Amino acid sequence: MRVAFLLAALILLATFAPPRLQRREPPPAISLVDLAPVPLDSNSDASRLGALRFLGGWALTSNDPRFGGISALHVETGEVLALSDAGWRIRLPVGAGRGRVRADIAMVPQGPGPEDEKYNRDVESMVAEGAEIWLGYEQANSVWRYHRASFAVLSAATPRAMARWRGNRGAEAMVRLPGGGFLVFSEGSGGDSEALAFAGDPAAPGTGTLRLRYRPPEGYRVTDAALLPDGRLALLNRRVKLFEGFTAKLTIARLPALAEGALIEGEDAATFDGTVTRDNFEALSASREGGRTILWIASDDNYNPLQRTLLMKFELVE
């Protein structure tokens, strides 16, 4: 019990530690990522978790010290694009089994401040669509839009409606709506959290907003969101406690009519607890494969050797 308590305390300390300087170890000439398969449940051969069918899971390790800290994720046509909360953009192919792949890892070149401090590159949310990509910066409470291939800056804004969000609770999740608007979620500090509905591009100064509320499962906080093909929202929620470590819940919510004060509240679709493989799940991506809705979930290891970077693949089978 004493060992378990110490382990949990160290994880909590790493998770909520203040921003620190960027990691400056020299990167290798070639960045490699090893994908080691992990089960859905360490005590069984289960393949279902609530409304999710398990399609694969991997623990990711790398020879590159910049790898890790994944807080935002986009998976498309066999490629993972991940953003870390230290500003590293990570691209790698994803397959169906064990293996070693090459990764492209580089710093987001421009952001809210100098790149040598984590505080200025604390990416927590992402939307990738077409040739453009939007990044939500937590500490700065800002949204930046980039060219997807080059990461050249196209526009940036620090919305007034986000100004009162606590520095480590802002821009935690972001989705683009079918009409071109956006939803940006604050992580909150327990209970309902705020979500902003932007009438257009949140990275364009002056875009109109409506204040909505999101109600996570009791005791949980939202860490990411994705728009499903049918227009509903998939929301990833995390809880961390001293003796149970990290647990997570995936909820599915219908988008309410966008009006000031409207409530977003979902229904539980899956719970990651007990002997289910889990860590600090912070990143979610939705895609389509052969008519199936696919959900990808990744964990943020906080650059902590006691944690893991997990990548999990599921089919939504309600």
Side-chain angles (χ1 to χ4, degrees), residues 33 35 58 60 67 70 72-83 89-95 101-105 126 128 133 148 283 285 296-298 309-313:
V33 175
L35 294 88
W58 303 267
L60 278 55
F67 182 83
I70 293 174
L73 184 72
H74 181 78
V75 183
E76 185 177 356
T77 61
E79 182 184 75
V80 168
L81 171 61
L83 269 293
R89 51 186 172 92
I90 303 163
R91 287 190 173 100
L92 69 152
V94 61
V101 298
R102 291 184 62 164
D104 173 32
I105 303 177
M126 166 174 55
I133 187 166
R148 186 168 171 178
S285 177
W296 297 82
I297 299 175
T309 297
L310 297 173
L311 180 64
M312 312 287 281
K313 181 180 182 181

Side-chain angles (χ1 to χ4, degrees), residues 24-129:
R24 284 305 185 193
E25 296 92 332
I30 298 176
S31 299
L32 300 172
V33 175
D34 288 299
L35 294 88
V38 296
L40 173 61
D41 191 310
S42 59
N43 281 359
S44 75
D45 58 358
S47 62
R48 283 289 298 269
L49 186 68
L52 300 179
R53 176 178 292 125
F54 182 61
L55 300 179
W58 303 267
L60 278 55
T61 56
S62 177
N63 66 332
D64 193 321
R66 301 171 298 177
F67 182 83
I70 293 174
S71 293
L73 184 72
H74 181 78
V75 183
E76 185 177 356
T77 61
E79 182 184 75
V80 168
L81 171 61
L83 269 293
S84 85
D85 57 12
W88 299 111
R89 51 186 172 92
I90 303 163
R91 287 190 173 100
L92 69 152
V94 61
R98 178 190 301 271
R100 172 173 290 180
V101 298
R102 291 184 62 164
D104 173 32
I105 303 177
M107 173 60 63
V108 175
Q110 291 181 270
E115 68 177 54
D116 59 345
E117 291 196 17
K118 181 181 184 295
Y119 184 94
N120 297 320
R121 290 296 187 276
D122 193 351
V123 177
E124 291 293 334
S125 54
M126 166 174 55
V127 168
E129 187 171 304

Side-chain angles (χ1 to χ4, degrees), residues 223-305:
T223 59
D224 209 352
L227 186 70
L228 297 175
D230 62 7
R232 293 178 300 162
L233 296 172
L235 297 126
L236 186 62
N237 307 273
R238 175 193 59 202
R239 182 176 70 186
V240 57
K241 288 191 172 183
L242 193 57
F243 292 106
E244 69 178 358
F246 295 102
T247 60
K249 281 184 179 288
L250 180 77
T251 61
I252 306 294
R254 295 193 179 277
L255 189 65
L258 296 182
E260 192 75 16
L263 176 65
I264 300 171
E265 186 173 17
E267 297 182 356
D268 288 1
T271 300
F272 295 80
D273 62 4
T275 57
V276 172
T277 298
R278 54 196 163 91
D279 208 289
N280 180 28
F281 285 139
E282 283 208 14
L284 175 69
S285 177
S287 62
R288 294 285 284 176
E289 289 183 10
R292 301 179 300 168
T293 297
I294 304 299
L295 294 176
W296 297 82
I297 299 175
S299 66
D300 173 4
D301 70 349
N302 294 300
Y303 294 105
N304 181 349

Side-chain angles (χ1 to χ4, degrees), residues 83 89 108-112 120-121 123 127-137 142-156 201 203:
L83 269 293
R89 51 186 172 92
V108 175
Q110 291 181 270
N120 297 320
R121 290 296 187 276
V123 177
V127 168
E129 187 171 304
E132 298 176 324
I133 187 166
W134 288 259
L135 299 183
Y137 288 94
S142 63
V143 180
W144 289 53
R145 180 167 60 95
Y146 300 85
H147 185 268
R148 186 168 171 178
S150 67
F151 270 79
V153 176
L154 300 176
S155 64
D201 185 355

Side-chain angles (χ1 to χ4, degrees), residues 138 165-166 168-172 185-194 214 216 220-223 238:
E138 183 174 68
W165 290 357
R166 288 175 55 187
N168 64 342
R169 293 284 183 261
E172 188 72 22
F185 294 79
S186 167
E187 182 181 348
S189 55
D192 291 0
S193 60
E194 193 167 74
Y214 169 61
Y220 286 78
R221 298 174 180 176
V222 65
T223 59
R238 175 193 59 202

